[in-house]
Amino acid sequence: MFAGLYKLLAAVGFDSRLAIIYLPRLLHGILAAVADYNLYGLTNLISDPTTAKWTLIAQCTNWFTAFCGPRSLANNLEWALTTAAFNFYPWSSFIPLKKRSTCCFILLVCVCSILRPTAAVIWAPICVFHLLCEFSASTSRLFRTFGLYVAIAIPCLLISIISDRIAFGRWTLHQLNFLRFNILANGANFYGIEPWHWYFTNGLPTMLFTSAPFCVVGFIIDFT
């Protein structure tokens, strides 16, 4: 993504030191805004405008979002793609058809999973559930939707393979390299190994921070 941006800067003669430093941050700031917009739209779609408003306020006042949003991380692109994909997910029949697009949903899921293979961990159960819902409606709908998955996933994967060939100068599959490094070679251990409770005792409190008390109160209200 940055390579294309830098090529564009060079083509228009604007590849100054400041542009190279700050334009990626600006790009990720735009991606963060897209994610916020899609989150608001998603909440408004499956809930109501009041809930959507408070969700957006919570999102925009979260320090972790403000800290990570403008940073040049691949996670930020995944974040924007994920919120957009959920906007197109066929949640239920009460959502107007014009608000749903199975093709857009599948395309965004494929792009998200190809760019960051770990995203497949999130999307696999959601896509399976989607297919099961189609199967419960009718067998023909299942085959039609499964055909869409195949018809969209294969071209996306082919584009990824060709891009890898151009970038690496040889035939390779970066998703497979990712799995080999992080799982088979335990390369992920380089970034640290945390205990099983880390997400609950460190991860979530750090991300929520000032929002944590409100989350606790919300859980208590919901479950009492």
Side-chain angles (χ1 to χ4, degrees), residues 13-180:
F14 194 59
D15 52 340
S16 65
R17 182 171 61 88
L18 290 178
I20 291 175
I21 293 174
Y22 289 107
L23 277 183
R25 299 181 186 180
L26 176 61
L27 175 61
H28 278 273
I30 294 173
L31 288 175
V34 169
D36 291 343
Y37 174 80
N38 280 310
L39 178 63
Y40 175 82
L42 170 64
T43 313
N44 190 41
L45 193 65
I46 62 178
S47 185
D48 56 76
T50 301
T51 303
K53 178 185 68 176
W54 283 108
T55 300
L56 183 61
I57 291 174
Q59 170 81 344
C60 293
T61 56
N62 183 281
W63 81 273
F64 192 79
T65 300
F67 173 70
C68 293
R71 300 181 69 192
S72 53
L73 301 171
N75 309 62
N76 294 339
L77 177 58
E78 180 187 357
W79 172 31
L81 291 172
T82 299
T83 53
F86 274 123
N87 254 329
F88 290 110
Y89 182 78
W91 290 96
S92 65
S93 57
F94 70 84
I95 298 176
L97 288 175
K98 65 179 181 179
K99 294 288 187 180
R100 297 179 289 164
S101 173
T102 302
C103 290
C104 289
F105 166 72
I106 297 172
L107 177 61
L108 289 169
V109 168
C110 289
V111 173
C112 194
S113 300
I114 285 173
L115 291 177
R116 281 184 57 81
T118 50
V121 176
I122 300 173
W123 289 117
I126 295 173
C127 292
V128 169
F129 178 75
H130 179 208
L131 291 173
L132 289 175
C133 290
E134 296 293 272
F135 176 70
S136 64
S138 68
T139 306
S140 60
R141 283 186 59 173
L142 170 64
F143 285 124
R144 183 170 64 250
T145 304
F146 183 76
L148 283 176
Y149 273 94
V150 174
I152 295 173
I154 290 178
C156 288
L157 186 58
L158 289 176
I159 292 173
S160 174
I161 293 173
I162 294 172
S163 299
D164 287 342
R165 175 67 176 84
I166 295 173
F168 291 98
R170 56 185 174 84
W171 292 109
T172 186
L173 195 62
H174 76 265
Q175 295 87 358
L176 183 59
N177 296 338
F178 180 91
L179 293 175
R180 284 175 177 170

